[in-house]
């Protein structure tokens, strides 16, 4: 009984011991935070990767693709039909995205990965739909431009976050407005034939930005509002020439106010940039862009076509958000010459395979690999594709854990030293207790229990601190960012817009137990020394 | 007289076994009073820098039940060492310690701990209270040591009552919540006495109980010890270098050059 009372009193009177435990507290807190962030990061990334990439992909090595995806699907269905939930054919091709920006007639070109997807397929990747910006598109996707109602607030963020006011006008509203502006500009151009397109473009913006009364100071106007960053698009010749192709060759003049080109979904990172923690848009749903990509023949020729942006794709994986562009599969096949004229059978470059839940990825992959010659096809799982990234995250977590646990071990030596000091300080008390009939075990118990209690206090405080920190990690990061004037977690650099954190209770338990164990172990040696003190010498100790 | 018994015993050192047997049967000395504590031929040396320094060279001592014995000697004469040996805090090089007819110096460590806890109360010159505990908790300390957590919690109320009564008996009824550093020297020694008495010991071993106190306070402590001896029949062995204090005891022996001489 006396053990517990004395431990309690020592705990309350020896603040130096509490100081030694601070390092345990900090170590535990840091480990919890780091593990939570790494686990959150890994989970988030896996989820996103898995949502973006399908379970297993069959790809051709050639951009030309392979003929007759239905035949391939049937083959795979026969081999591994039990495992496969559904299959979707797609065309992946590198492309150049060009659009006009800022109304100055400047063309911006960016390399993208163009993906032709089958929008007719009923449950065409629910995973793909969930990243779109129009609520209707998330339910039932179509490549047709919506009237409006695009998300102004990021639907994936927990809180509403910073708004994207420009998205309010996106859709047909924006398209009609732009068309009106272009028409007005064209008329203006006719009135003064020597006016350059650049001058005309200035006026578009001036008209658009009602507050701007000084079109002669374009930079100023451009900086003032996000709206000015919108492109003023000239009705392009390419658009007109490509249009009849899409609409069965009618000679009717294309009216951008009521008509759209082929729909296109664009990674949001391609259309926007971040300025002072808000998204500013170069393009909006309703704008037209041009895509240039190689045909399937040999040698490939470049073809181009005009598309209308109907939605943005935001997976929060900046790698994908700033490179992927989705168009209707059939249209892409037509443009690339991937349809046999006689039979109408198409070519595709990949088949995305979704497995039934709980199937072993690698097993199915190996089954499918056996079906196709490896010289022409590759079959890989999503883990294969991003395996290096996932392995790197796990490796990082492991190394950090080792290092942080070493910190706690260092704290253990601090406890050891301070406990020796306390034993020396308490030598006479130990003698007194022995003269009162306390045994060596009892004395040892005092210090072991004391060590355990300190460990409990230290790791308990560390746990509370770590969990509290993890819960509020984004608020803390924001506050630090404000304090230092430099964002701690810059979403432009990382994959996510906020720091993901996942508290895994088994991990927390292990960390706390480990810290407790170290504190208890560190107190064993001093406790043994205390137990072995000779009572007479201890009593004589001054 | 007991002295006589003692001397015959030591003379017949070879027939220890028989003497012990007869003692065990009767448990009484020639005077008819029971022998409570006995030292037989205790020897103890310390080693310093390779030199053997003999402290006790064969101490024989008999303490009867209810006796107040004072051992006087100069500083360094081995008084404290003798007390430590009697309390089994230290082991003798040779000789035996008997308590209530049982040899106690060769018992296993745990039995000795228990014996020290229940039968032998000790007080010291420097009080030796535990600084983190209040007066009451200090008095309770030997009881806490004797009881495990659960049995302590069961009997806590009666223990606390007992301790409060003891504190009142030594004149500290109102100060039980104070920490040692808030008490005066005399009060600390009174607390130490209450602590020594808490388990109801057979013998109180006092190591210079007044050595650190002024004359007046020392006299008060002596008064307290005497009254405990008289009223409760508590056997007391006190070592001191102060002859005036020693003379308040029933009997005084002198420790000279590691041996007992009658004073």
């Amino acid at each position: 009984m006396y053990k517990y009372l004395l431990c309690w009193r020592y705990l309350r009177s020896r603040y130096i011991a509490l100081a030694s435990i601070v390092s345990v507290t900090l170590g535990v807190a840091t480990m919890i935070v780091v593990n939570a962030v790494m686990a959150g990061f890994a989970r988030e990334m896996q989820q996103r990767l898995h949502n973006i990439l399908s379970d297993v992909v069959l790809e051709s090595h050639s951009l030309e693709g392979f003929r007759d995806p239905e035949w391939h699907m049937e083959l795979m269905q026969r081999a591994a039909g039990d495992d496969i939930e559904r299959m979707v054919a797609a065309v992946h091709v590198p492309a150049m995205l060009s659009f006009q920006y800022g109304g100055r007639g400047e063309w911006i070109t960016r390399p993208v990965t163009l993906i032709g997807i089958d929008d007719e397929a009923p449950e065409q990747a629910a995973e793909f739909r969930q990243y779109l910006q129009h609520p209707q598109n998330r339910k039932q996707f179509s490549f047709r431009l919506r009237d409006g109602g695009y998300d102004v607030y990021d639907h994936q963020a927990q809180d509403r976050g910073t708004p994207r006011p420009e998205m309010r006008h996106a859709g047909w509203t924006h398209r009609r407005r732009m068309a009106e502006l272009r028409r007005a500009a064209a008329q203006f151009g006719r009135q003064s034939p020597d006016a350059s397109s650049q001058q005309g473009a200035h006026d578009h913006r001036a008209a658009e930005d009602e507050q701007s009364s000084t079109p002669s100071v374009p930079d100023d106007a451009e900086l003032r509002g996000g709206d000015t960053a919108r492109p003023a698009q000239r009705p392009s010749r390419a658009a007109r020439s490509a249009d009849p192709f899409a609409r069965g060759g009618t000679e009717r003049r294309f009216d951008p106010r009521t008509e759209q080109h082929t729909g296109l979904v664009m990674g949001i990172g391609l259309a926007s940039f971040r300025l002072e923690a808000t998204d500013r848009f170069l393009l909006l749903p309703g704008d037209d862009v041009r895509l240039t990509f190689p045909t399937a023949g040999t040698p490939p020729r470049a073809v181009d076509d005009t598309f209308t942006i109907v939605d943005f794709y935001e997976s929060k994986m900046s790698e994908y958000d700033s490179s992927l562009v989705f168009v209707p599969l059939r249209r892409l096949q037509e443009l690339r010459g991937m349809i046999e004229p006689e039979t109408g059978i198409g070519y595709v470059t990949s088949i995305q395979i979704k497995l039934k839940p709980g199937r072993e990825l690698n097993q199915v992959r190996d089954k499918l690999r056996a079906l196709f010659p490896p010289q022409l096809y590759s079959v890989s799982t999503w883990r294969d594709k991003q395996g290096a990234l996932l392995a790197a995250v796990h490796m990082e977590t492991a190394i950090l854990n080792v290092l942080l646990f070493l910190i706690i071990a260092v704290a253990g030596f601090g406890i050891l030293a301070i406990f020796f000091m306390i034993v020396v300080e308490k030598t006479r008390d130990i003698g007194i207790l022995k003269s009162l009939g306390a045994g060596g075990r009892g004395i040892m118990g005092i210090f072991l229990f004391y060590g355990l209690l300190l460990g409990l206090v230290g790791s308990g405080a560390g746990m509370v601190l770590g969990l509290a920190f993890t819960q509020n990690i984004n608020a803390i990061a924001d506050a630090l960012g404000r304090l230092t004037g430099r964002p701690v977690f810059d979403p432009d650099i990382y994959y996510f817009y906020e720091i993901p954190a996942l508290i895994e209770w088994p991990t927390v338990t292990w960390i706390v137990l480990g810290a407790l164990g170290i504190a208890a172990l560190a107190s064993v040696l001093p406790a043994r020394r205390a137990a072995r003190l000779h009572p007479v010498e201890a009593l004589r100790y001054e | 007289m007991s002295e006589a018994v003692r001397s015959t015993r030591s003379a017949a050192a070879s027939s220890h076994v028989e003497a012990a047997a007869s003692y065990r049967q009767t448990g009484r000395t020639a005077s008819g009073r029971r022998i409570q504590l006995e030292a037989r031929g205790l020897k103890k040396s310390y080693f310093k820098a390779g030199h053997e320094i003999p402290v006790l060279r064969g101490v024989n001592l008999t303490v009867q039940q209810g006796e107040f014995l004072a051992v006087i000697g100069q500083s360094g004469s081995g008084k404290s060492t003798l007390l430590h040996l009697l309390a089994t805090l230290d082991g003798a090089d040779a000789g035996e310690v008997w308590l209530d007819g049982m040899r106690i110096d060769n018992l296993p460590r745990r039995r000795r701990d228990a014996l020290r806890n229940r039968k032998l109360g000790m007080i010291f010159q420097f009080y030796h209270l535990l600084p983190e505990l209040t007066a009451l908790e200090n008095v309770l300390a030997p009881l806490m040591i004797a009881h495990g957590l659960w049995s302590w919690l069961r009997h806590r109320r009666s223990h606390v009552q007992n301790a409060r009564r003891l504190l009142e008996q030594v004149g500290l009824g109102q100060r039980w919540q104070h920490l040692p550093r808030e008490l005066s020297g005399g009060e600390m020694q009174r607390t130490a006495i209450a602590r020594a008495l808490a388990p109801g010991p057979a013998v109180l071993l006092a190591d210079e109980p007044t050595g650190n106190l002024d004359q007046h306070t020392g006299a008060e402590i002596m008064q307290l010890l005497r009254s405990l001896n008289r009223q409760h029949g508590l056997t007391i062995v006190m070592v001191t270098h102060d002859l005036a204090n020693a003379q308040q005891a029933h009997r005084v022996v002198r420790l000279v050059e590691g041996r007992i001489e009658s004073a």
Side-chain angles (χ1 to χ4, degrees), chain A residues 1-10 13-14 426 429 432-433 436 446, chain B residues 129-142 144-145 175-183 188 191 195:
Chain A
M1 168 59 211
Y2 66 105
K3 294 172 224 169
Y4 312 116
L5 180 66
L6 279 173
C7 281
W8 181 239
R9 289 291 152 82
Y10 288 174
S13 60
R14 310 284 119 176
K426 291 278 148 209
D429 291 19
I432 296 167
L433 286 168
L436 292 177
I446 293 178
Chain B
L129 297 175
L130 295 168
E132 274 86 10
L133 304 186
T134 65
L136 180 69
E137 285 162 343
N138 263 295
V139 176
L140 287 170
M144 292 191 208
I145 289 170
R175 319 247 355 224
W176 57 278
Q177 273 182 318
H178 290 230
L179 288 173
R181 62 166 175 273
E182 294 159 349
L183 298 172
M188 277 198 268
T191 309
R195 178 178 69 184

Side-chain angles (χ1 to χ4, degrees), chain A residues 1-6 8-11 13-14 425-426 428-441 443 531-542, chain B residues 46 81 84 89-91 109-110 112-114 116-118 120 122 124 126-134 137-138 141-142 144-149 152-153 179 195-196:
Chain A
M1 168 59 211
Y2 66 105
K3 294 172 224 169
Y4 312 116
L5 180 66
L6 279 173
W8 181 239
R9 289 291 152 82
Y10 288 174
L11 193 68
S13 60
R14 310 284 119 176
E425 193 197 330
K426 291 278 148 209
R428 212 173 66 168
D429 291 19
I430 292 162
I432 296 167
L433 286 168
K434 287 197 162 177
S435 81
L436 292 177
R441 279 181 187 209
I443 304 284
R532 289 181 177 180
L533 274 178
H534 196 286
V536 170
E537 277 161 33
L539 276 175
R540 227 180 260 147
Y541 183 85
E542 293 299 322
Chain B
Y46 290 114
T81 305
H84 292 150
L89 275 173
D90 207 350
R109 184 192 293 266
R110 297 187 68 176
R112 272 188 287 146
D113 288 340
R116 210 183 303 130
N117 182 241
R118 301 211 170 99
L120 299 167
M122 290 194 81
F124 304 91
F126 297 105
Y127 330 121
H128 286 350
L129 297 175
L130 295 168
E132 274 86 10
L133 304 186
T134 65
E137 285 162 343
N138 263 295
M144 292 191 208
I145 289 170
H147 291 85
L149 183 59
W152 167 259
L153 290 177
L179 288 173
R195 178 178 69 184

Side-chain angles (χ1 to χ4, degrees), chain A residues 263-325:
Chain A
L264 162 149
V265 174
M266 186 191 254
I268 199 164
L270 285 167
S272 70
F273 59 96
R274 273 178 94 79
L275 194 66
E276 289 156 1
T278 48
D279 288 310
R280 313 295 278 275
F281 288 88
L282 302 171
L283 293 168
L284 282 175
D287 281 324
D288 289 342
V289 295
R290 271 165 78 180
L291 281 169
T292 310
F293 43 88
T295 59
T298 312
R301 286 175 297 105
V303 291
D304 67 271
D305 194 13
T306 305
F307 293 82
T308 300
I309 302 170
V310 299
D311 210 335
F312 287 138
Y313 171 84
E314 185 178 23
S315 67
K316 307 258 181 190
M317 295 275 289
S318 16
E319 185 187 333
Y320 295 102
D321 287 350
S322 59
S323 73
L324 298 189
V325 172

Side-chain angles (χ1 to χ4, degrees), chain A residues 27-347:
Chain A
V28 167
T30 319
M31 269 188 91
I32 288 176
V33 171
V34 165
N35 272 293
V37 170
M38 291 306 263
F41 187 68
R43 182 198 55 173
E44 202 86 342
M45 205 159 68
Q46 284 206 9
Q47 251 175 24
R48 288 184 188 282
L49 283 173
H50 195 182
N51 283 347
I52 296 161
L53 306 167
S54 42
D55 292 324
V56 181
V57 187
L58 170 77
E59 290 168 299
S60 74
H61 290 319
S62 162
L63 267 187
E64 202 155 328
F66 47 82
R67 185 179 174 275
D68 200 357
E70 272 73 27
W71 176 81
H72 285 83
M73 287 186 199
E74 215 168 286
L75 197 63
M76 288 191 283
Q77 192 72 43
R78 272 207 295 276
D82 293 343
D83 302 319
I84 295 172
E85 191 171 306
R86 63 166 185 268
M87 291 178 274
V88 181
V91 172
H92 287 240
V93 62
M96 287 294 166
L97 172 83
S98 317
F99 57 88
Q100 215 174 12
Y101 155 71
R104 291 190 182 177
E106 276 177 45
W107 282 87
I108 291 182
T109 301
R110 286 181 171 179
V112 295
T113 301
L114 188 58
I115 302 176
I117 56 169
D118 191 357
D119 60 324
E120 303 293 315
E123 49 335 325
Q124 162 63 47
E127 292 86 4
F128 162 74
R129 287 206 314 259
Q130 68 176 338
Y131 295 132
L132 299 181
Q133 300 302 306
H134 197 286
Q136 221 60 47
N137 274 347
R138 289 201 290 275
K139 287 202 196 81
Q140 178 68 52
F141 174 68
S142 97
F143 274 112
R144 305 211 64 79
L145 183 63
R146 305 270 175 184
D147 270 336
Y150 288 86
D151 287 335
V152 175
Y153 289 94
D154 183 1
H155 73 277
Q156 291 179 77
Q158 274 94 0
D159 50 358
R160 304 217 321 151
T162 29
R164 296 159 169 167
E166 292 151 274
M167 286 296 273
R168 203 164 289 151
H169 315 291
W172 275 111
T173 326
H174 174 66
R175 186 170 179 79
R176 274 193 290 272
R177 203 153 126 196
M178 292 309 286
E180 292 297 338
L181 285 170
R182 274 194 294 272
R183 217 161 55 120
Q187 275 167 6
F188 180 78
R190 268 201 298 281
Q191 279 161 13
S192 52
D194 51 1
S196 70
S197 68
Q198 202 163 342
Q199 183 58 50
H202 270 314
D203 289 352
H204 304 163
R205 270 196 300 97
E208 189 183 342
D209 189 342
E210 279 150 22
Q211 290 162 336
S212 171
S213 56
T214 53
S216 56
V217 195
D219 288 337
D220 189 18
E222 199 167 312
L223 285 172
R224 206 170 310 146
D227 280 15
T228 53
R230 257 184 240 155
Q233 213 153 4
R234 287 179 305 185
S236 73
R237 261 177 293 110
R240 238 174 286 139
S241 68
D243 185 55
F245 195 75
R247 285 167 206 284
T250 45
E251 285 300 311
R252 184 170 56 80
R253 202 182 145 84
F254 180 81
D255 181 3
R257 283 172 301 178
T258 54
E259 288 171 86
Q260 71 166 90
H261 298 282
T262 314
L264 162 149
V265 174
M266 186 191 254
I268 199 164
L270 285 167
S272 70
F273 59 96
R274 273 178 94 79
L275 194 66
E276 289 156 1
T278 48
D279 288 310
R280 313 295 278 275
F281 288 88
L282 302 171
L283 293 168
L284 282 175
D287 281 324
D288 289 342
V289 295
R290 271 165 78 180
L291 281 169
T292 310
F293 43 88
T295 59
T298 312
R301 286 175 297 105
V303 291
D304 67 271
D305 194 13
T306 305
F307 293 82
T308 300
I309 302 170
V310 299
D311 210 335
F312 287 138
Y313 171 84
E314 185 178 23
S315 67
K316 307 258 181 190
M317 295 275 289
S318 16
E319 185 187 333
Y320 295 102
D321 287 350
S322 59
S323 73
L324 298 189
V325 172
F326 300 87
V327 294
L329 175 66
R330 199 69 193 166
R331 179 81 183 124
L332 185 60
Q333 283 174 324
E334 283 166 10
L335 289 168
R336 290 196 68 210
M338 289 176 96
I339 296 175
E340 281 184 352
E342 315 88 60
T343 57
I345 292 172
Y347 279 67

Side-chain angles (χ1 to χ4, degrees), chain B residues 2-30 35 37-41 60-62 96 98:
Chain B
S2 57
E3 294 302 304
V5 176
R6 183 189 52 73
S7 56
T8 50
R9 284 243 169 98
S10 63
S14 56
S15 59
H16 258 341
V17 180
E18 293 155 44
S22 80
Y23 170 76
R24 242 179 249 122
Q25 277 160 12
T26 63
R28 290 175 193 285
T29 59
I35 292 180
L37 186 66
E38 192 179 11
R40 294 178 189 170
N60 292 305
L61 190 65
T62 313
E96 301 170 356
W98 291 70

